[in-house]
Amino acid sequence: MTTIQQLGVLTGGGDCPGLNPVIRAVTRRAIQGGLRVIGIRNGWKGLIEADAIPLDLNAVSGILPKGGTILGTSRTNPFKHPQDIGRLLQTFTRLPLDALIAIGGEDTLGVAAKLVKQHNVKIVGVPKTIDNDLSMTDYTFGFDTAVNIAMEAIDRLHTTAESHHRIMVAEVMGRHAGWIATCAGIAGGADVILIPEEPIDIDAVCELIKKRHARGKDFSIVVVSEGAQLKAGKDVVTEKSRDDFGHVRLGGIGHLLGSLIEERTGFETRVTVLGYLQRGGSPTAFDRILGTRFGVKAVELVLAGRFGQMVSLRGNQIVDVSIEAGVGTLKTVDNDLYALAKVFFG
Ligand code: F6P
């Protein structure tokens, strides 16, 4: 077994509150373990282009409360162009890197799993996504912050909804899974929550709203995940552009829903798309602590030579699972939780 002297760390995919706490924890624990740390800029792109900076204690000082990632990020997929893999492996030898910690979601960790399997690269993964849709971990950091931002937005939307007797539609993030919509909706007291897991029955939605109004509540809050789709009728996913991993840019369901609700119920309706506000700003205490625990554990896995593994939260324990298993299936919203949310619909 080669001794690890120099450790790389990168962040890939969408930015997410909690990334900087992980970078800080990785750097501090690695230095404590006698390693040198190199920050790779902009995800896999930085490894292809050999864009890297040394990280020491001063470089990571003061970043704990900061949103985003000091290393920068990208949605670059090195497997898209075969020559990029060669360049990426060359950077490993040139820097040199003895091991790498890759912090990312399904796409970034999917690349990590392939690099481990096909090229024997020594990688430990750290799962990240505000969508909370990775199956092998109970939570990913960033999700708690996003839910709290969305909850606060729903609280604020209540003010205008009540004062103007309007329907307020709030579109939140959630590409494949409606965790943010469900949790923020429950916490914010939404009257209808619509998620990608269950196609939208527009007649049922309008019925719920009409019933609510009939009992004297002349305003309603509807929360919808950006990835939700109508059961029948128009498809709102417009093919504006695809990223390196083939994902289309989402957005638009909130506005379509708003106009259908107004048309069918006759109630004045307004739409708010929260978008990137949910990914910005300072992480909550929960996300700072989870990021810190993940970062420390990831270095410990490196020191123990447990490559191809990723850190994960199970109950209150930080454990490790294979990266391949971690990106194998998506974690969709728990049926029981959505059933609970439905108790408060209408
Ligand atoms: O994966 C997290 C996420 O926030 C999704 O909910 C969303 O669809 C996507 O990122 C958008 O990311 P970007 O526009 O930065 O590519």
Side-chain angles (χ1 to χ4, degrees):
M1 193 175 105
T2 21
T3 0
I4 307 299
Q5 293 179 331
Q6 191 142 270
L7 173 67
V9 56
L10 63 78
T11 53
D15 71 326
C16 171
L19 286 169
N20 284 327
V22 182
I23 296 167
R24 171 180 174 267
V26 163
T27 306
R28 294 200 56 150
R29 180 64 185 90
I31 290 172
Q32 201 184 79
L35 310 182
R36 288 186 305 277
V37 187
I38 302 285
I40 311 296
R41 306 200 62 240
N42 305 321
W44 298 117
K45 187 166 184 270
L47 268 186
I48 296 166
E49 295 174 353
D51 188 0
I53 44 162
L55 292 178
D56 58 15
L57 294 181
N58 286 345
V60 297
S61 169
I63 67 169
L64 185 62
K66 285 192 181 157
T69 160
I70 59 159
L71 293 176
T73 187
S74 72
R75 291 200 185 271
T76 303
N77 178 3
F79 283 97
K80 200 172 172 200
H81 308 287
Q83 71 274 19
D84 284 347
I85 291 296
R87 293 174 67 194
L88 182 152
L89 296 173
Q90 260 175 23
T91 306
F92 244 84
T93 327
R94 263 181 41 206
L95 284 175
L97 293 183
D98 301 310
L100 176 75
I101 291 181
I103 313 167
E106 46 160 339
D107 297 327
T108 304
L109 294 181
V111 168
K114 272 169 126 179
L115 286 171
V116 172
K117 205 168 176 182
Q118 297 176 13
H119 300 277
N120 231 351
V121 183
K122 294 190 166 80
I123 304 179
V124 164
V126 175
K128 165 247 55 155
T129 163
I130 64 162
D131 288 358
N132 200 39
D133 58 1
L134 292 177
S135 63
M136 298 300 278
T137 183
D138 291 349
Y139 285 101
T140 41
F141 56 84
F143 171 66
D144 185 63
T145 308
V147 168
N148 276 286
I149 293 168
M151 178 194 73
E152 196 195 320
I154 295 168
D155 287 349
R156 288 174 190 272
L157 290 174
H158 264 99
T159 311
T160 306
E162 281 191 65
S163 307
H164 286 261
H165 322 295
R166 284 176 182 161
I167 316 294
M168 300 298 258
V169 175
E171 182 186 305
V172 300
M173 278 186 170
R175 176 174 286 279
H176 310 290
W179 287 103
I180 297 177
T182 305
C183 294
I186 292 171
D191 305 303
V192 182
I193 301 169
L194 303 164
I195 59 177
E197 289 84 341
E198 235 175 73
I200 303 170
D201 179 342
I202 191 68
D203 295 327
V205 171
C206 292
E207 213 38 55
L208 279 168
I209 293 171
K210 282 193 211 153
K211 268 198 191 144
R212 206 178 125 74
H213 283 235
R215 72 170 161 93
K217 298 304 276 185
D218 59 359
F219 70 92
S220 294
I221 305 282
V222 178
V223 178
V224 59
S225 307
E226 60 177 0
Q229 295 200 33
L230 291 172
K231 201 180 233 172
K234 303 176 217 171
D235 187 356
V236 287
V237 178
T238 50
E239 186 107 0
K240 287 177 202 146
S241 70
R242 283 185 187 269
D243 66 18
D244 266 13
F245 292 91
H247 302 305
V248 289
R249 202 178 292 157
L250 293 176
I253 184 69
H255 284 285
L256 177 64
L257 203 60
S259 53
L260 288 174
I261 291 172
E262 188 166 76
E263 199 180 287
R264 287 167 185 232
T265 63
F267 301 130
E268 196 181 1
T269 306
R270 293 286 191 275
V271 180
T272 302
V273 179
L274 289 187
Y276 299 96
L277 289 174
Q278 294 158 97
R279 276 187 4 202
S282 193
T284 57
F286 181 89
D287 285 337
R288 292 182 200 192
I289 294 166
L290 184 58
T292 300
R293 293 178 80 195
F294 274 0
V296 167
K297 176 74 174 186
V299 174
E300 284 165 1
L301 291 176
V302 168
L303 293 171
R306 293 178 59 75
F307 301 110
Q309 294 295 103
M310 69 168 215
V311 298
S312 140
L313 178 71
R314 279 292 184 226
N316 198 27
Q317 299 299 310
I318 307 292
V319 298
D320 61 287
V321 297
S322 84
I323 302 177
E324 209 175 2
V327 295
T329 46
L330 282 173
K331 181 178 66 188
T332 49
V333 170
D334 180 59
N335 287 337
D336 291 345
L337 187 69
Y338 195 53
L340 178 129
K342 282 183 175 170
V343 171
F344 302 90
F345 282 13

